[in-house]
Amino acid sequence: MKNYFLLLLLLFLGFQNAFAQEKERPKIGLVLSGGGAKGLAHIGVLKAIEEAGVKIDFIGGTSMGAIVGGLYASGYNASQIDSIFKVSDFDQLLKDYIPRSSKNFYEKENDEKYALVLPFDKWKVGLPYAYSKGLNIYGLLNKLLHNDRHERNFNELPTPFLCIATDIETGKQIVLDHGYLAQAIMASATFPSLFSPIVIDDKLLIDGGVVNNYPIDEVKKLGADIIIGVDVQSGLKSRQELNNATRILVQISNLQMMDNMEAKKERTDIYIKPDISEYSVISFSDGVEIIKKGEEASFVVYEKIKALGTNYSKPKLGLCEGKMDTLSIAEIQINPLKNYTRAYVIGKLGFRPGIKLTYDELKTGIDNLNATQNFSAIGYSFEKKDQADIFKLNLVENPIKSFLRFGLHYDNLYKSGVLINVNKKKLILKNDVASLDVILGDNIRYNFDYYVDNGFYWSFGFKSQFNSFNKNVVATEQTNSLFGIQGLKSINLDFSDFSNQAYIQTIFKQKFIIRAGVEVKNIKIDSETIDNLNSVFRANNFLSVFGHLKYDSLDNFYFPHEGWQFTGSVQSFLYSSRKEDFTKFTYLKSEFVYALPISNRVTAQAKISGGLAIGEGENPYFDFILGGYGFNKINNFDSFYGYDFLSLYGNSFVKSDLVIDYRFYKKHHLNIGGNFANIGNKLFDSDAWLEKPNFTGYALGYGLETIVGPLEIKHSWSPETKEHYTWFSIGYWF
């Protein structure tokens, strides 16, 4: 009995002693400043803190400090956060990249030719609200903070947490210690002009670094006895560095912050200032080095940190045993909208209540909404309902309905061009869009498109375009036959095409677009080469009907890595203004493109195309014409390595292409390709199209994805002609 009593006494005294030690242990608060990419140094500091066995009791952060601190507070250890940032593609996270798969066919056709888009309202040109809505970062935060999506009190997180935001209307500091965690962190990190402001409790919030980039007092109020502070802010610049207006303005905004920082530094028990002056707020590509700088700075004061340690080892966050990526959607709540129905929004999201949803599927739905450009802000959160989630979607309708869009381009056929576009939604009807392209340069062109989008029901539209170019064509047996001219070495041609279409279209099974309509076309071909003869070879008006089927899942129009595309069309010409030599005829053509990823960086792209004419009339100006590279396709023109523009003609053809593309440094491309074709008249009347190709060509190329569109250089040659051609283009094609 005595032994039992003694044992109980010892246990009691042990618990009492442990409790007293815990009670006596000072509470440690961690303050993490903002600094953009430089804030990655916080991860290195956290590694050192964990190595020293120190338990953090409270965390306060601003901007990047809020992101790193929020993840740590939610339960992630330093190693996990390090892994998260090392695998993150910050180029994609910082911008609202919308996958092509989320765009409808109209958006795909029109959005890949403009380098700059500006709001245009009441004949006044504005500036974009922000570079990005921050949807990709917000989506990642939601996924990473899945375990805490229902928690509304940040004091109840594994480590109590707060972050700082700025009320942009009042300039006051907002302490975010409750609410929806992912949204609070995003508000604290919403750098002005880079991301759109976040609305919380009817307050318009931006980056907390504007008013308080080092929330030491707020962390002390949580109950911290000792403060470990990590300062990654930029210091004041020297006279020599203040060499432009932007830097001077930034310096002015930092003056008060630096004054306040000196006092805050004095109140910091362990102050850590990583040596990251050589990096900027956007140096995310140097993340590994910046994290290392955080570790190095920590080890300068490591003994002080270690003195606070209790051999604490932070456990690795368990992610719901692999269920972190799954949401059970019991209900979808959408805020009231003026111009768009619930059915429209649900249709774009692509999911309904009562399903299980992954975060990747959620991202696809949000991308679909963003692709419409009908919403200036897209926010969402989750609330618990039994064992499932209520998905709460908050949309802000875009008040801007008109935009000015610009593009630049140069190539060997159309030469230089400047594109000015006016785009307006709701011009006549609630669901319409009108777009006018005017192209100024060596060849004046325009394109007008009016489209009424009825979704999966029959939509309709009207197109009008004028296309022209000038080209010196070397005289060959084919060109002499085409133009009926003999005895010339070359012919300088002026080509123009004026087309007007009225069409209807629908989407079949969400994959295929079907379009049909009527077209009135004027084609004019003339030449100043011929002085004594009528220079106009052809000036005809044509009436035709057409049908078009298309599927497009390519992930990139210019440098596809995966996906496929099929296009099939038929066009029947019923009338010509030159009745004396006109007979009705029809053209059929199709094209299949398949991009196969061989590795992360290497893609094999195969293309098979063909076409034929049906009818007995002589209509050489609608023949299939091959040669050159990459030009804006009109009528039956197509590119072909190894031959100059407008080199190969025929009323039927079959062609295959194979390109191997190697991507390096994210946006650079090296590629090698070959194409093979049989082309001629009535090719399919026999087995001639199956014979060994009569025409072949090969090319080596370099490509670069720039802000104005792709830059491409292609050097090509043909073993038949022994000729070499080098083509250069820059900018989106239009």
Side-chain angles (χ1 to χ4, degrees):
M1 189 72 180
K2 284 174 125 181
N3 290 337
Y4 283 118
F5 178 77
L6 184 61
L7 180 62
L8 288 172
L9 181 62
L10 289 172
L11 286 172
F12 174 76
L13 291 173
F15 282 125
Q16 187 180 43
N17 185 54
F19 178 76
Q21 287 183 355
E22 176 65 22
K23 189 176 180 180
E24 291 170 5
R25 187 185 74 85
K27 300 294 184 181
I28 301 169
L30 179 65
V31 179
L32 304 177
S33 80
K38 294 185 290 185
L40 296 175
H42 296 319
I43 301 172
V45 175
L46 288 173
K47 286 183 175 182
I49 289 173
E50 288 186 2
E51 184 177 321
V54 176
K55 180 183 179 183
I56 300 298
D57 299 289
F58 309 101
I59 300 177
T62 299
S63 197
M64 182 58 82
I67 296 176
V68 175
L71 292 175
Y72 199 76
S74 71
Y76 289 95
N77 63 27
S79 177
Q80 287 177 300
I81 299 174
D82 183 59
S83 298
I84 290 168
F85 279 89
K86 282 181 177 178
V87 300
S88 297
D89 186 339
F90 286 95
D91 285 343
Q92 296 295 332
L93 288 173
L94 292 177
K95 62 183 180 181
D96 287 334
Y97 171 74
I98 303 172
R100 292 186 83 244
S101 58
S102 293
K103 300 176 182 178
N104 62 35
F105 283 92
Y106 177 84
E107 291 159 350
K108 286 177 182 177
E109 291 176 357
N110 287 277
D111 287 355
E112 292 168 327
K113 59 182 179 180
Y114 306 110
L116 176 65
V117 180
L118 297 174
F120 184 59
D121 188 35
K122 297 179 180 178
W123 299 100
K124 294 181 179 179
V125 180
L127 293 174
Y129 203 45
Y131 175 74
S132 167
K133 298 185 183 74
L135 292 175
N136 287 334
I137 290 181
Y138 189 64
L140 179 61
L141 286 173
N142 272 279
K143 182 176 181 178
L144 294 173
L145 300 171
H146 175 85
N147 289 354
D148 297 305
R149 68 191 185 279
H150 300 143
E151 185 59 69
R152 295 296 181 265
N153 184 353
F154 301 168
N155 283 329
E156 299 299 322
L157 294 172
T159 303
F161 170 77
L162 61 82
C163 58
I164 305 298
T166 303
D167 187 332
I168 195 172
E169 291 183 291
T170 65
K172 294 182 178 179
Q173 165 181 298
I174 304 296
V175 178
L176 298 171
D177 56 8
H178 65 277
Y180 189 65
L181 182 58
Q183 188 183 47
I185 293 173
M186 190 69 209
S188 182
T190 297
F191 191 84
S193 74
L194 178 60
F195 299 123
S196 300
I198 304 295
V199 178
I200 298 179
D201 297 333
D202 204 33
K203 294 182 176 67
L204 199 63
L205 305 183
I206 60 170
D207 196 307
V210 176
V211 291
N212 186 356
N213 207 26
Y214 191 82
I216 182 173
D217 296 321
E218 290 71 22
V219 174
K220 280 183 172 291
K221 288 178 182 177
L222 288 176
D225 301 305
I226 294 176
I227 296 293
I228 300 175
V230 189
D231 182 9
V232 296
Q233 304 172 86
S234 298
L236 297 177
K237 296 187 180 300
S238 67
R239 179 184 300 182
Q240 290 73 26
E241 294 173 308
L242 297 172
N243 53 13
N244 61 55
T246 302
R247 289 187 175 184
I248 291 173
L249 289 172
V250 172
Q251 184 92 325
I252 293 171
S253 67
N254 284 341
L255 290 175
Q256 185 178 359
M257 188 183 299
M258 291 298 102
D259 279 344
N260 293 335
M261 192 60 216
E262 286 301 315
K264 291 180 177 181
K265 181 180 175 180
E266 293 296 321
R267 300 198 302 275
T268 304
D269 299 284
I270 300 177
Y271 178 76
I272 301 172
K273 180 71 174 178
D275 182 15
I276 48 177
S277 57
E278 61 185 289
Y279 305 103
S280 74
V281 294
I282 57 172
S283 298
F284 291 101
S285 59
D286 299 312
V288 174
E289 291 86 352
I290 295 173
I291 292 171
K292 188 69 175 176
K293 291 288 187 180
E295 290 185 75
E296 293 172 357
S298 300
F299 286 113
V300 174
V301 292
Y302 186 73
E303 293 304 318
K304 291 183 179 180
I305 298 174
K306 194 170 182 176
L308 303 174
T310 56
N311 295 319
Y312 173 75
S313 179
K314 185 170 185 177
K316 187 176 182 180
L317 178 65
L319 302 176
C320 297
E321 299 180 352
K323 298 180 180 179
M324 159 193 185
D325 199 39
T326 304
L327 296 157
S328 294
I329 305 300
E331 185 180 340
I332 298 177
Q333 296 180 1
I334 304 169
N335 62 297
L337 299 172
K338 181 180 178 182
N339 296 302
Y340 304 98
T341 64
R342 175 180 172 88
Y344 172 85
V345 175
I346 295 291
K348 290 296 180 182
L349 284 173
F351 58 85
R352 299 176 180 274
I355 67 162
K356 289 188 180 294
L357 186 74
T358 67
Y359 279 95
D360 286 343
E361 291 169 335
L362 172 62
K363 182 181 183 304
T364 298
I366 298 300
D367 285 339
N368 293 344
L369 279 175
N370 195 29
T372 67
Q373 301 180 10
N374 292 328
F375 306 101
S376 57
I378 302 173
Y380 56 91
S381 60
F382 299 95
E383 287 188 2
K384 190 174 183 179
K385 184 177 182 180
D386 300 325
Q387 300 301 311
D389 287 280
I390 299 173
F391 178 60
K392 302 186 71 173
L393 183 63
N394 188 63
L395 302 172
V396 179
E397 296 181 57
N398 194 347
I400 306 297
K401 306 301 179 186
S402 301
F403 298 89
L404 276 179
R405 304 189 286 190
F406 302 90
L408 296 170
H409 186 79
Y410 175 86
D411 66 86
N412 296 87
L413 182 63
Y414 288 99
K415 307 302 180 183
S416 61
V418 177
L419 170 62
I420 303 172
N421 171 271
V422 180
N423 181 278
K424 182 170 178 60
K425 294 187 176 185
K426 299 184 180 181
L427 179 66
I428 301 172
L429 302 175
K430 190 175 181 178
N431 54 336
D432 70 5
V433 58
S435 177
L436 173 64
D437 289 334
V438 177
I439 300 149
L440 306 175
D442 291 291
N443 295 279
I444 306 298
R445 295 171 283 158
Y446 87 87
N447 180 58
F448 174 77
D449 197 351
Y450 177 79
Y451 178 62
V452 179
D453 187 0
N454 291 321
F456 294 107
Y457 299 101
W458 283 100
S459 305
F460 61 92
F462 172 78
K463 282 181 177 286
S464 179
Q465 65 177 16
F466 176 77
N467 207 329
S468 68
F469 61 82
N470 174 272
K471 177 63 182 173
N472 191 68
V473 180
V474 177
T476 64
E477 183 178 345
Q478 284 187 306
T479 57
N480 289 340
S481 173
L482 182 66
F483 301 111
I485 303 296
Q486 301 294 329
L488 297 177
K489 293 183 178 181
S490 64
I491 305 169
N492 191 275
L493 294 178
D494 290 308
F495 176 91
S496 66
D497 180 301
F498 177 48
S499 301
N500 296 278
Q501 293 181 352
Y503 63 91
I504 58 173
Q505 72 176 42
T506 189
I507 298 176
F508 177 66
K509 290 188 176 181
Q510 304 186 33
K511 300 288 186 181
F512 292 89
I513 184 172
I514 302 173
R515 179 183 294 174
V518 59
E519 179 182 74
V520 176
K521 181 187 292 288
N522 174 273
I523 288 183
K524 182 180 178 182
I525 305 174
D526 62 22
S527 174
E528 295 181 356
T529 306
I530 308 166
D531 296 325
N532 300 321
L533 301 174
N534 183 3
S535 65
V536 179
F537 296 117
R538 184 70 69 158
N540 280 26
N541 297 312
F542 297 90
L543 173 67
S544 65
V545 294
F546 64 89
H548 185 75
L549 172 67
K550 186 172 185 178
Y551 175 89
D552 186 356
S553 68
L554 295 176
D555 61 347
N556 187 294
F557 181 75
Y558 294 98
F559 301 103
H561 184 60
E562 61 182 348
W564 62 279
Q565 181 186 85
F566 173 79
T567 305
S569 63
V570 55
Q571 188 166 11
S572 294
F573 290 84
L574 308 176
Y575 170 83
S576 170
S577 57
R578 290 180 55 137
K579 299 179 182 179
E580 63 275 10
D581 60 357
F582 175 78
T583 303
K584 294 179 181 179
F585 62 97
T586 298
Y587 274 91
L588 302 172
K589 59 182 176 182
S590 65
E591 180 179 276
F592 176 78
V593 180
Y594 182 61
L596 175 67
I598 298 175
S599 70
N600 242 359
R601 297 182 177 274
V602 180
T603 303
Q605 180 183 329
K607 181 169 72 173
I608 300 173
S609 54
L612 74 156
I614 302 174
E616 298 298 324
E618 295 292 329
N619 304 285
Y621 304 104
F622 285 99
D623 277 357
F624 300 99
I625 302 176
L626 306 182
Y629 172 74
F631 52 90
N632 188 33
K633 293 183 180 180
I634 56 172
N635 298 328
N636 293 323
F637 291 56
D638 204 349
S639 59
F640 197 80
Y641 299 146
Y643 288 81
D644 200 6
F645 298 99
L646 316 182
S647 292
L648 306 175
Y649 304 82
N651 66 15
S652 53
F653 84 105
V654 61
K655 179 168 79 84
S656 62
D657 301 71
L658 178 63
V659 176
I660 303 296
D661 183 271
Y662 171 69
R663 177 177 57 85
F664 61 103
Y665 294 124
K666 293 186 178 181
K667 297 182 182 295
H668 296 260
H669 298 260
L670 290 176
N671 44 66
I672 182 170
N675 50 204
F676 317 90
N678 282 323
I679 184 168
N681 291 326
K682 302 186 183 299
L683 195 67
F684 294 97
D685 287 358
S686 65
D687 293 335
W689 67 282
L690 292 173
E691 296 176 355
K692 181 181 177 181
N694 292 324
F695 305 98
T696 62
Y698 304 90
L700 289 172
Y702 165 78
L704 173 64
E705 299 174 64
T706 77
I707 59 172
V708 298
L711 180 152
E712 290 191 89
I713 302 172
K714 291 279 188 182
H715 181 78
S716 77
W717 70 96
S718 172
E720 294 92 43
T721 65
K722 312 300 181 184
E723 295 287 343
H724 289 250
Y725 298 94
T726 299
W727 299 302
F728 172 82
S729 70
I730 183 169
Y732 296 115
W733 286 91
F734 47 75

